Amino acid sequence: MKLIFVTGGVVSSLGKGIVTASLASLLRSRGIKLKIRKLDPYLNVDPGTMSPYQHGEVYVTDDGYETDLDLGHYERFTDIKCSKNDSISSGKIYSTILSKERKGEYLGSTVQVIPHVTEEIKNSIKKSTNKDDVIICEIGGTVGDIESLPFLEAIRQFKNERQLDTLLIHLTLLPYIETSGEIKTKPTQHSVKELLNAGIQPDIIVCRSNKKIKYEEIQKISLFCNVATNAVIPSYDVGSIYQVPSLLSKSKLDDLVIKNLNIKSTKKKDLSKWTNFEVLESRAKEELNIFIIGKYVHLKDSYKSLYEAIYHAGVHNKVNVKIKWIDSETINKKNVDELLIKAAGILIPGGFGNRGISGKIEAIKYARENQIPFLGICLGMQLSIIEFTKNVLKMKNSGSSEFGKHTNNVISLMTEWSKKNQKVTRTKENDLGATMRLGSYPCYIKHKSLASKIYKKKLIHERHRHRYEVNPKYRSSIEKKGLVFSGFSKDKKLLEIIENKNHKWFLGVQFHPELKSKPFKPHPIFFSFIKNSLMNKNA
Ligand code: GLN
């Protein structure tokens, strides 16, 4: 087993996740078997309980684990499916240790950071791996943070135990100082010193820069940071994250990794899928306005996968999608027409809580009445049902039990509408973590529906993250008025997809299709949504 660690220095948000995913993709294209893991220093057991404002999107894996958004990059850049073992936080480590301690499993010893925490970290890194695997571990945060010290110590121990099989890549920033016209290497030198304080010498330094790095600067980094000049790898700013694999391949990052670790590749590297995608990207010129009405619109990372899924679908439809993010709290009955007039398509993503709900309902009404292509995801789907029951069925006081008591809870907890179907039960009375319907579930698609035209399949698997469900009690009265349920669980009790018979393109899905879109294979729902929005724009 070979281990590659990726750490970051100088500042955060340097794109460690993208570098990690790109390296993984370059190694995969040579037939190398690998796993990618994210180690996060925070104390939450998983990011499921964190606000998207603080931590960005919560990415859900097929096996139903709520993980860091970087796992989304790993899956989008490679053909690898991540699992719960691939997202490791300090909280998860400590929670395992504390429960072992309570069970007396440490047999009387004093439980300490070294060796117990570091041992647990090392075991989590090695969990469910085979001998021939390459494990790439990205360490969250920036070196120098107090929280990440146990992770660095675990890396030091690994390096000591398996010198030849462990490699450390450090990603830093070379800032450009406008007044002197120079790139500065000092912050990189300092952050390597931080690593040395923890007992680790990096093998490769990847340098982010928006200016050309001169050979003298490479020599300087090599001299002060104790790495060979060919191990100082430039990583320049590029137009799209999907150009990073080719860029790093040109800088020979993967060649160096393979040589250093003596990894055997089974195939010749093939970059054609990336270069083809770049050609497609360069052709996507025509602009298309898609409006996203949400709650967390001020931080783009909150809707990371959604943004990427729209981008993939745009590129494959040869359009340059301009996303207009609208804060749902700013929309009301009076201004909705004016705010949304330029929308070729309208999308309402997932969300929690009742803030901004009325604005979203107004937007749905606008899309429904004006034949604007509409995609509602999870909460967006639930609200499109509420909108329909309010405005078309004229149902009194309809809503979701998530927002309080209503005469007609058209959306409610499974436990509220079915005593038998109590799949969602909370572990402890007040626990909110991991208590939702999470992960991949099968969905059966109705013949001749819009959904069946989109998927061209009868059975699909999509990922979920929600507590509330459509209450089947209202199904027939809703269907009588033209909203059609076209996707169901096997027992037909869970209603997973809705569409509107009297609309050109109106779709609501209880799951999150954005989590499975790839640059080479846009998700069919997004592809169709963008295609129809384009037709709407040019109609
Ligand atoms: N808040 C809703 C629920 O829990 C929708 C969740 C979501 O959009 N991911 O069911």
Side-chain angles (χ1 to χ4, degrees), residues 97 99-111 116:
I97 291 175
S99 88
K100 276 193 194 168
E101 187 275 333
R102 290 291 81 186
K103 287 185 193 134
E105 287 181 24
Y106 292 104
L107 307 174
S109 17
T110 311
V111 184
H116 301 101

Side-chain angles (χ1 to χ4, degrees), residues 350-353 377-379 382 402 436 465-468 512:
F352 294 84
I377 296 176
C378 209
L379 179 68
Q382 298 173 354
E402 181 175 9
M436 289 184 260
R465 181 177 186 247
H466 54 100
R467 258 182 212 101
Y468 297 84
H512 290 270

Side-chain angles (χ1 to χ4, degrees), residues 61-113:
T61 52
D62 260 358
D63 62 352
Y65 200 73
E66 298 173 283
T67 72
D68 188 81
L69 58 78
D70 278 314
L71 272 79
H73 291 311
Y74 306 163
E75 288 200 345
R76 283 188 285 273
F77 275 65
T78 67
D79 51 358
I80 298 169
K81 247 193 201 144
C82 292
S83 82
K84 67 170 190 296
N85 294 330
D86 302 323
S87 186
I88 305 163
S89 69
S90 295
K92 191 172 173 185
I93 298 284
Y94 279 100
S95 144
T96 314
I97 291 175
L98 294 178
S99 88
K100 276 193 194 168
E101 187 275 333
R102 290 291 81 186
K103 287 185 193 134
E105 287 181 24
Y106 292 104
L107 307 174
S109 17
T110 311
V111 184
Q112 290 173 306
V113 173

Side-chain angles (χ1 to χ4, degrees), residues 31 34 37 105 135 186 212 242 307 370 375 425 429:
L34 53 89
R37 302 203 146 150
E105 287 181 24
I135 322 280
K186 192 66 101 195
K212 177 105 181 81
Y242 301 110
Y307 179 85
N370 295 289
L375 176 58
T425 44
E429 201 43 39

Side-chain angles (χ1 to χ4, degrees), residues 13 51-59 68-70 73 76 296-308 325:
S13 304
S51 155
Y53 265 141
Q54 289 210 5
H55 195 70
E57 160 191 87
V58 174
Y59 189 78
D68 188 81
L69 58 78
D70 278 314
H73 291 311
R76 283 188 285 273
Y296 318 107
V297 291
H298 306 292
L299 180 72
K300 240 183 170 181
D301 270 1
S302 311
Y303 299 111
K304 191 82 210 161
S305 295
L306 185 63
Y307 179 85
E308 297 303 331
W325 304 90

